[in-house]
Structure formats: C-alpha cells, structure tokens
Amino acid sequence: MRARPKNVLILILCVCVIPLFWISLITKQNVPFPRTDSSGLEDVQDRLQVAEHVNRRREEDLRTLRSHFIQILRSVLQETNQTNRSIADLFQTNQALQLSNMSDISSDNSLQLPSLFTYLPHIVGKPQSLRPSFQLSQNRYGVSIVIGIPTIRRDKTSYLQQTVASLIQGMSVEEQKECLIVVFVAEPNDPEYVQEVGRELSKQFPQHLQSGLLELISPPAEFYPDFNNIKQTYGDTKERVKWRTKQNLDFSFLMMYARMKAVYYVQLEDDVIAKPGYFSIMKTFAEQQSSSTWVLLEFSTLGFIGKMFKSRDLPMMVEFFLMFYQDKPIDWLLDYFLAVKVCNPEKDHKHCNRMKGEMRRRYKPSLFQHVGTHSSLKGKVQKLKEKDFGKLMLHRAHVNPRANLKTSLKAYQKFTLHKAYIGEDVFWATTPAKGDYIQIKLDPPIHVEEILIRTGNPDHKDDVLVNGSLLVLPVESSRPVSTLQDSTFTVTSSGFLVVTSFKEGLAHVQFSENMEKISCVKVVVEADNENWMIISEIHIKERKISTPPS
C-alpha cells in the first residue's frame, strides 16, 4: 500500500509540533523564589544559578526531542522514497534542509560531552530509568533548603517516622515554607514496601504532604546495574561491595532529583534527631560564608549526616560519584573530590588538609544526633554518637544587615566583635568601664523591626553587662524628633534615642511601624563592670516594607 503525501506530512507535523508546544509551556513557568533582602546578594546569586539549571534542563529536553524528530523524519523519508518518489521531492526544499540540520547531535562528526549514559550504559534505551517509579509530591520548588533522606527496609527497628517528626517539629511555620523534605525509599525491587512507607507517612503527616513540605519518591529498578557483576575491592565482602555501590547510586539519584528545587541541599540519614531551630541555623551559617570558597558545610561529624552543598555544585559532584561508584564508598569519594579541587601534588599532606579545610567547614555544636544502632548494611551494628550534640549553644547566629563596627572595648584573643555580629563566635571583652561603647553603623540605614543583644553564655554566666543602655540614631528628617520616637524613648544631646537598658544581661526592643530608618545602633556602658563581658548574640532584624501597588 502506497503512503499518501498528505498523511505523511500530517504525521510529521504532529510528531514535531506537539512535543515542542508542551516544552514551551513548561519553560514559561515562573520559579517562585522567596523574596530576599539587600544583604542576601549571594543568596540571590545561588537562586539564579538554580533557575539557570532549570533552563538548561529544558534546553536538554528540546535537543532530545529535536534529535528524535530528525530520526523519525529520516526514517519516514527512507520509507517514502521507496514507495512514493513525489513525497521525497517535497522535502528537497530549504525548509527540509533546515529541519535536517536542527540538531548538532545528528552530525556524525560532532563532539559530544559525557552523559549519564557514559557512566551508566545499562540505562540506554530505558527512559523510565531516570524517573521515579513512585512519587507522592506537590512539586514544591524554589525553596531555601531541600533535605534528602534515603531509607531502605530494615530488618529490625525503623526510625524513619521519628526522624521526619523531629525535622518537622524543629521548624517554625515560616521555616516550613522555605524547606522541602524528600524521603527517598531506595527499594526499587520492593514496590509493596514503598507503598507501605507512603501509607504510613500519609497517615502520620497528611497536612505536610498536602502542603508540599514532605515528599516521597522511589527509584526505578532500571536505574541500577546487575550487582552480581560488581568487582570486589579493598578486601570487602561481596555483600558489602553491593551495599556501598548501591548507596552511591542511591545518593546520586536523590541529588539529581533535588538539585533544582532549592538553593542548598542537605543530606541526612533515616535514623537521626534534629536540634530545635536547626533550619535557621543552617541557613544563616551558609549565608554567612563566602559563596565562592566553600563546597561542603558539615552540621554533624558522622557519616553523611548533616552535609550541606550548594545545589549548583551537585551536577559536578554527581558526575564525580558516578565515575567511581563501583570503586569506593561515598565518603571516600567526597574526600577525593575535595582533594582533586584544591590539593597541590607538590605540597605536603598538611597543606592539602589545610586547603580542604577552607572548602569543608564545620559548624559546632552538631545539629543532628544519630539514634540508630543497626546499619542499613545487614548485620552491621552502628553505635556512633555525636559527642557535642545537646550542648548549650555558646553563641547564636543571625544574618544581620551590612554595617561598620567600632568599639572602645579590648577583645580577648580571637573573640572579636565582628565574629559576634556575623554569628561565628562570641565577642569577649576585658573588663568594661564607664563610657565604653559598641557602635554598629548601618550601611545603608534601614527600617528596623527589632533589636536583641544578649550578653553572657552558659559557660560564663557572670560575664554579662550589668549597667548598660541601648541607643539608636534615626536618619536625619525634616520632622521634629518628637515624631520619630515613642513616648518612652529619651533623646541624648547627639540625637540618639535611648530605647532600653540591659536587664539581666539582655537588651531587647521592638519598634513600631512609623519608626524612621535607623543609621546607627550603639551600646553604652553606664558604670564600671566587675567582670569581663561576653556578647553571645546580636540580632538586628530589618522590617520588610511592602510597596503599595501602582
């Protein structure tokens, strides 16, 4: 039976136009990133990187569709050339030549970059191998942090629900809006267990699944190779080699899935508990680092618990993991990844460790505690515990506005005012005397909602400021000073407002919405202090001023 030219043209148009139209609709989605303030330029840069990854993925989808279309077009032309010469003649036009050259992939001489198929050749021809086989999700993305929790069936106690509950309870309602928790059930050959976990989470956390805070996915069996052909290395048993190889692939799949959903990615395990307030601590600590110098932030010393990465770095890391997923455990690969980036082979081991320390930064005390005793490797007992988990925090970190700092107080050793302001450490000053001061000049001036300055800490309870005042300086205004202050504020000769005094080592004040922008915050010592002074927390919270619609 001879093919009719009209039918062939309609078929080709359908194959080409419908997928391209679908992709164009997807690419028009707006990524609803949370609003950032002027002090979060690095955070904005990270979010732009995530958006760029989304666009790159769409471009890859388009190139794949174009490649498939070219193959279909050539196949149709070859068939019709044998049955109907006039149809082939229809395509000897400029339009047909343009279609044939749409994709560089179709060129036999074109260069091609490595891809997943290079490292996982067993997934070639299996598009389902790169999609979750099971998914409970509201497709939340554009958040600050995505937390990945891989889990498998355990022979004894499961800690998964306890872990998820601890994470959710440790966040405020506002923090939950900036987070995504992805539970990754790594049991591709046990769909019944995957559905059982889904039912349990749906029963215990229905509102969090509905809100999009919690997701559950499971990988397809096609993503994994035949583990019976894995070579044994380092004297490990065959069972251990299978376990660590599969774990490398589990983590890689989870990272690839999560990489475009948030600015930062945090890896946990399914048998941990979290310290209350952990989310803001992690976010603040990450935002205070220089975005170009760190690769890994550690909020726990154990295994792969509490490891934070920038989402934009995940593709490079996953590719490195996949290169050697059959050769080494994931924690070894991570260390080698850092060494490859910064270690100079002409330098000694100490230099290498120092350089890796610049890229691998540790937060103390640990925010997560390992509670499980039985490893995911059958028969292995894991009794590791965080020694500093549960210790009282000696300082509290906040993202404060940009400012110039000045003080008449003498800092003890490395405990500087700058470290206290950015939340890296405490400010420890030798005995304050009357007239000593701390000046925080805001650059630029901002509307301030709240100021909190805390002195002393659990290790040095007596090193508090006993007699001190907190002052602020509003920006110059044509209005009289009386309209810039509440009735309880007094005014100094230099125009500062005395807003509160230190009581039991704490100064805390909240401002009304009609308060002018503040250009300077000042702490003044009103009398000689008997002891030294520690400032363990400085928080200047900017008020978000909503812009009225035009």
Side-chain angles (χ1 to χ4, degrees), residues 34-35 43 47 140 142-146 171-180 213 261-264 279-280 283 287:
R35 185 179 175 184
D43 185 45
R47 294 177 188 277
R140 176 183 284 195
V143 296
S144 296
I145 298 176
V146 56
M171 288 187 285
S172 67
V173 175
E174 291 302 317
E175 289 171 338
Q176 291 177 11
K177 296 177 182 178
E178 293 189 64
C179 183
L180 171 63
L213 169 62
K261 293 179 176 290
V263 178
Y264 304 110
F279 181 89
S280 288
K283 182 183 175 185
E287 290 174 342

Side-chain angles (χ1 to χ4, degrees), residues 255-268:
M255 288 179 175
M256 286 189 289
Y257 175 82
R259 71 184 179 94
M260 291 189 298
K261 293 179 176 290
V263 178
Y264 304 110
Y265 172 81
V266 174
Q267 181 85 37
L268 286 182

Side-chain angles (χ1 to χ4, degrees), residues 9-27 61-62 65-66 68-69 72 102:
L9 286 173
I10 293 174
L11 173 63
I12 293 175
L13 289 174
C14 290
V15 171
C16 178
V17 173
I18 293 176
L20 291 177
F21 176 73
W22 177 77
I23 290 293
S24 67
L25 289 178
I26 294 178
T27 56
D61 292 340
L62 282 171
L65 281 172
R66 286 187 298 184
H68 290 170
F69 170 72
I72 295 173
M102 282 175 65

Side-chain angles (χ1 to χ4, degrees), residues 226-291:
D226 183 359
F227 290 112
N228 293 318
N229 297 327
I230 301 297
K231 62 180 180 180
Q232 293 178 237
T233 56
Y234 306 111
D236 288 341
T237 63
K238 190 171 185 179
E239 188 65 27
R240 186 179 180 88
V241 172
K242 286 183 181 180
W243 170 76
R244 75 178 196 219
T245 301
K246 179 179 178 296
Q247 187 180 65
N248 290 343
L249 293 175
D250 291 342
F251 289 7
S252 297
F253 191 102
L254 178 53
M255 288 179 175
M256 286 189 289
Y257 175 82
R259 71 184 179 94
M260 291 189 298
K261 293 179 176 290
V263 178
Y264 304 110
Y265 172 81
V266 174
Q267 181 85 37
L268 286 182
E269 294 183 6
D270 63 350
D271 53 356
V272 302
I273 56 174
K275 183 175 293 186
Y278 72 93
F279 181 89
S280 288
I281 295 174
M282 291 195 302
K283 182 183 175 185
T284 299
F285 188 72
E287 290 174 342
Q288 289 170 347
Q289 312 301 315
S290 174
S291 63

Side-chain angles (χ1 to χ4, degrees), residues 215-481:
E215 289 188 7
L216 183 145
I217 64 170
S218 181
E222 292 82 359
F223 181 71
Y224 300 87
D226 183 359
F227 290 112
N228 293 318
N229 297 327
I230 301 297
K231 62 180 180 180
Q232 293 178 237
T233 56
Y234 306 111
D236 288 341
T237 63
K238 190 171 185 179
E239 188 65 27
R240 186 179 180 88
V241 172
K242 286 183 181 180
W243 170 76
R244 75 178 196 219
T245 301
K246 179 179 178 296
Q247 187 180 65
N248 290 343
L249 293 175
D250 291 342
F251 289 7
S252 297
F253 191 102
L254 178 53
M255 288 179 175
M256 286 189 289
Y257 175 82
R259 71 184 179 94
M260 291 189 298
K261 293 179 176 290
V263 178
Y264 304 110
Y265 172 81
V266 174
Q267 181 85 37
L268 286 182
E269 294 183 6
D270 63 350
D271 53 356
V272 302
I273 56 174
K275 183 175 293 186
Y278 72 93
F279 181 89
S280 288
I281 295 174
M282 291 195 302
K283 182 183 175 185
T284 299
F285 188 72
E287 290 174 342
Q288 289 170 347
Q289 312 301 315
S290 174
S291 63
S292 60
T293 56
W294 68 272
V295 172
L296 167 64
L297 299 181
E298 296 185 279
F299 299 94
S300 171
T301 62
L302 303 178
F304 228 72
I305 298 174
K307 304 298 185 282
M308 173 184 278
F309 309 92
K310 287 172 282 192
S311 294
R312 68 182 188 217
D313 290 342
L314 290 180
M316 175 174 54
M317 298 187 66
V318 167
E319 185 170 6
F320 188 86
F321 293 159
L322 292 179
M323 283 188 203
F324 308 104
Y325 77 93
Q326 299 186 50
D327 303 310
K328 296 180 183 295
I330 190 75
D331 51 343
W332 290 14
L333 291 179
L334 180 59
D335 190 69
Y336 280 118
F337 176 81
L338 297 176
V340 167
K341 288 185 71 69
V342 299
C343 289
N344 187 336
E346 298 178 355
K347 302 286 186 178
D348 58 17
H349 188 66
K350 291 182 179 179
H351 178 270
C352 180
N353 287 337
R354 185 166 63 253
M355 296 302 297
K356 286 192 294 185
E358 290 295 317
M359 307 187 73
R360 184 175 193 158
R361 302 180 183 179
R362 166 93 158 91
Y363 178 87
K364 297 179 182 180
S366 297
L367 300 181
F368 304 97
Q369 178 63 285
H370 185 255
V371 295
T373 55
H374 297 278
S375 169
S376 55
L377 176 61
K378 190 174 182 179
K380 180 182 178 182
V381 177
Q382 191 83 296
K383 294 185 178 182
L384 296 176
K385 298 291 181 182
E386 283 286 2
K387 295 180 180 179
D388 63 355
F389 182 83
K391 285 188 177 181
L392 295 175
M393 293 183 60
L394 301 182
H395 67 276
R396 292 176 173 84
H398 297 284
V399 179
N400 288 311
R402 189 172 60 185
N404 297 315
L405 308 177
K406 184 179 179 181
T407 180
S408 63
L409 294 163
K410 183 180 179 181
Y412 173 65
Q413 294 184 354
K414 62 179 181 178
F415 303 101
T416 63
L417 176 60
H418 174 74
K419 288 186 176 181
Y421 190 73
I422 67 174
E424 183 178 321
D425 211 326
V426 300
F427 172 44
W428 202 355
T430 55
T431 310
K434 182 177 180 179
D436 280 331
Y437 66 90
I438 294 171
Q439 180 176 289
I440 303 171
K441 190 174 182 180
L442 302 176
D443 181 23
I446 60 172
H447 290 281
V448 176
E449 178 179 334
E450 179 182 7
I451 299 176
L452 185 149
I453 299 180
R454 187 188 308 275
T455 63
N457 67 21
D459 281 357
H460 300 274
K461 297 180 180 180
D462 295 330
D463 287 358
V464 299
L465 180 57
V466 179
N467 295 297
S469 299
L470 179 64
L471 295 75
V472 300
L473 180 65
V475 295
E476 294 181 1
S477 174
S478 58
R479 290 182 287 172
V481 173

